[in-house]
Amino acid sequence: MEKKQPNRLGRGLGILLGDTEIPIAKDSILRVPSDANAMIRLDSIETNEEQPRKDFDENSLQKMALSIRSYGIIQPITVRPIQNGKYQIISGERRYRASLLAGLQEIPAFVRTVDEVSALQMALVENIQREDLNAIEVAVTYQRLLNECDLSHEELSVKVGKERATVTNYLRLLRLTKEAQQAIVEKKISMAHARTLVAVEDIELQKKILKDIINRQLSVRETEAIVKKLTAEVKLPKTKVKVMLPDEVMTFSRQLSDKLKSKVSIQKDITGKGKISISFTSNDELTHIIKSLS
């Protein structure tokens, strides 16, 4: 009997729907049940390299450490058990770092027995709720949720509590040049300016308008007028953004092509939309494909 291969493409979604078993390593310490509140030693906690938040302000951490010395940890961090009796942070790395500065030996934590995909999703969703994120950080987090957690746009909008159109507007910002994205981060242009620039598909023209916005301190309305005028005067070549597909998607494409004995093509754009194409050259090939998929 042929051994059934695991469906890796649907792994993240399967976990969310609760139909996937989460393997726990035998040497993981699971003395605390899932979702329980426990006191865990700081030296048994590890940070997550995939944590979406990379920069931690030292002054802010010092202030939090002073507060922790006086009042303790009010909101527990969230961790998951991993191998060798260690725990990995899902959310709350800032509280963890401040606790180290405060000289604590242990910290309250919610323990969740989830796998890496679910842990990443929880960390990303928690990160997106921060109030100090700029628009590009929000867009990058949305894109990671789509790509790494196998979410659709509709599922993503539900997870982050935003309208689907709002999510799409943020994702479109990733089509901007690096200069334009940096201008958003540095607050040289507003989100409204950025949405107007996204409509300009010609890269050089986009850069020119960006310079005008910054140097001439153009309002959003003035920017819209310039974009409308220039795009009407110039025939803009459509700039295609090539999206590299993950290795597991390419592997799936090859496996499906071998099974159907037909060429299989998977295409995806930067918004996460795409299509799967199966080629055939005769009625016999079409019949074979239909039978194989059935």
Side-chain angles (χ1 to χ4, degrees):
M1 184 176 179
E2 186 178 353
K3 187 177 180 181
K4 187 176 181 181
Q5 297 295 321
N7 181 11
R8 298 188 62 197
L9 290 179
R11 180 167 170 257
L13 182 57
I15 291 167
L16 298 180
L17 294 175
D19 59 0
T20 300
E21 293 184 358
I22 301 170
I24 301 297
K26 291 181 180 179
D27 55 347
S28 293
I29 291 185
L30 295 176
R31 292 189 296 260
V32 183
S34 179
D35 296 333
N37 190 355
M39 296 299 295
I40 299 178
R41 289 185 57 84
L42 287 173
D43 58 13
S44 68
I45 298 175
E46 296 181 358
T47 58
N48 186 353
E49 293 182 358
E50 297 299 323
Q51 154 72 246
R53 187 175 191 177
K54 302 299 181 184
D55 300 319
F56 296 87
D57 182 73
E58 190 62 31
N59 290 331
S60 176
L61 286 176
Q62 291 290 352
K63 289 179 181 178
M64 178 176 279
L66 288 174
S67 174
I68 289 173
R69 289 192 191 104
S70 300
Y71 305 105
I73 299 291
I74 297 174
Q75 175 64 38
I77 67 172
T78 303
V79 299
R80 72 185 185 101
I82 53 177
Q83 296 178 351
N84 302 319
K86 297 289 187 179
Y87 295 86
Q88 186 182 70
I89 296 175
I90 295 176
S91 64
E93 185 173 337
R94 185 166 172 265
R95 278 162 279 161
Y96 161 77
R97 288 171 178 260
S99 296
L100 288 174
L101 291 175
L104 298 188
Q105 297 299 312
E106 57 183 14
I107 187 174
F110 293 112
V111 180
R112 302 291 300 275
T113 51
V114 295
D115 79 340
E116 292 181 6
V117 173
S118 297
L120 175 62
Q121 180 183 315
M122 291 170 66
L124 289 169
V125 172
E126 193 260 355
N127 182 65
I128 208 70
Q129 293 171 351
R130 288 168 45 207
E131 295 180 356
D132 58 341
L133 290 181
N134 61 60
I136 296 301
E137 289 174 319
V138 172
V140 169
T141 302
Y142 284 169
Q143 192 64 59
R144 288 191 65 186
L145 280 164
L146 289 174
N147 293 345
E148 299 175 47
C149 298
D150 200 22
L151 297 180
S152 67
H153 280 225
E154 192 65 38
E155 291 167 332
L156 174 58
S157 66
V158 172
K159 286 290 178 185
V160 299
K162 300 290 184 181
E163 294 291 335
R164 182 169 177 174
T166 300
V167 170
T168 300
N169 282 335
Y170 274 105
L171 289 170
R172 292 180 70 221
L173 298 180
L174 299 180
R175 293 163 53 186
L176 291 168
T177 62
K178 290 183 179 179
E179 293 86 352
Q181 292 185 30
Q182 189 60 35
I184 296 172
V185 173
E186 296 174 0
K187 299 182 179 180
K188 292 181 179 179
I189 64 174
S190 68
M191 178 77 168
H193 283 110
R195 284 199 299 267
T196 304
L197 275 178
V198 168
V200 182
E201 296 184 346
D202 183 274
I203 301 302
E204 294 306 315
L205 185 57
Q206 190 183 110
K207 289 179 179 180
K208 178 183 181 304
I209 297 173
L210 174 65
K211 287 181 180 179
D212 285 343
I213 294 172
I214 297 173
N215 295 336
R216 295 167 53 191
Q217 295 292 297
L218 297 177
S219 67
V220 175
R221 183 163 294 182
E222 290 171 328
T223 303
E224 290 172 345
I226 289 176
V227 168
K228 185 176 181 180
K229 179 182 178 182
L230 290 177
T231 53
E233 293 174 352
V234 181
K235 274 192 174 182
L236 300 177
K238 194 165 185 178
T239 304
K240 293 186 177 179
V241 180
K242 187 176 181 180
V243 176
M244 297 297 292
L245 296 174
D247 289 342
E248 61 181 358
V249 176
M250 297 302 296
T251 300
F252 169 77
S253 177
R254 288 192 294 270
Q255 291 174 344
L256 184 60
S257 180
D258 291 341
K259 179 180 179 180
L260 301 179
K261 294 181 172 50
S262 299
K263 182 179 178 181
V264 175
S265 173
I266 300 179
Q267 297 176 328
K268 186 178 73 169
D269 63 23
I270 200 165
T271 67
K273 296 179 180 180
K275 62 181 180 179
I276 299 178
S277 301
I278 302 174
S279 302
F280 58 90
T281 58
S282 67
N283 288 333
D284 290 340
E285 285 189 13
L286 175 58
T287 301
H288 172 73
I289 291 171
I290 293 172
K291 287 183 177 179
S292 298
L293 291 178
S294 300

